[in-house]
Amino acid sequence: MSNVIQGSGWGRKAGGESTVADGGEPPYDNPMEARVAKLEADLTAIKIDVAVIKANGATKSDIADLRGATKADIAELKAATKADIADLKTAIAEAKSSILMWVVTAIFMAQLLPLIKSFFP
């Protein structure tokens, strides 16, 4: 941008030439055309996203509910999730102890069976 003369008009370079192409109707700027093409592609992607949202049955109130989630709602969900995880850890610990008890009992019974068999010929 150092070669643009300040105060000499929009888009004029140091040599007096214009950065906007001359001739044709209307005058255009090649980088601007690339930017517009990108915006058109983005608009197409947005239209596809909106169509998917509509196809999945999301209503305006569903979207408004998502946007209206407050920090308190998020904190409440975090607390509920932490409580669920704590309950799950407790259930896993109980399952481990139950399995351990069954294994120890099975080993103990395996040791007693030959002794019981010797008493009853």
Side-chain angles (χ1 to χ4, degrees):
M1 187 145 199
S2 61
N3 62 350
V4 176
I5 300 173
Q6 299 295 327
S8 66
W10 291 94
R12 296 281 176 199
K13 291 186 178 179
E17 61 196 60
S18 173
T19 59
V20 178
D22 294 329
E25 287 292 323
Y28 64 93
D29 189 3
N30 284 335
M32 180 64 77
E33 194 163 318
R35 292 172 62 193
V36 170
K38 184 180 180 321
L39 287 172
E40 289 172 345
D42 290 345
L43 180 63
T44 303
I46 291 170
K47 285 181 179 180
I48 291 170
D49 291 343
V50 169
V52 168
I53 290 171
K54 285 182 179 178
N56 288 332
T59 62
K60 288 182 181 178
S61 63
D62 293 336
I63 295 169
D65 289 342
L66 290 175
R67 288 183 184 154
T70 62
K71 289 183 180 181
D73 295 335
I74 294 170
E76 182 181 329
L77 288 173
K78 279 184 176 181
T81 303
K82 286 182 180 181
D84 290 342
I85 290 172
D87 292 342
L88 186 60
K89 286 181 179 180
T90 303
I92 290 172
E94 289 174 0
K96 283 181 180 180
S97 64
S98 176
I99 290 170
L100 182 64
M101 188 183 328
W102 276 100
V103 168
V104 168
T105 303
I107 291 172
F108 183 71
M109 292 301 290
Q111 296 296 320
L112 283 179
L113 283 177
L115 183 63
I116 293 173
K117 186 178 176 187
S118 69
F119 284 119
F120 301 104

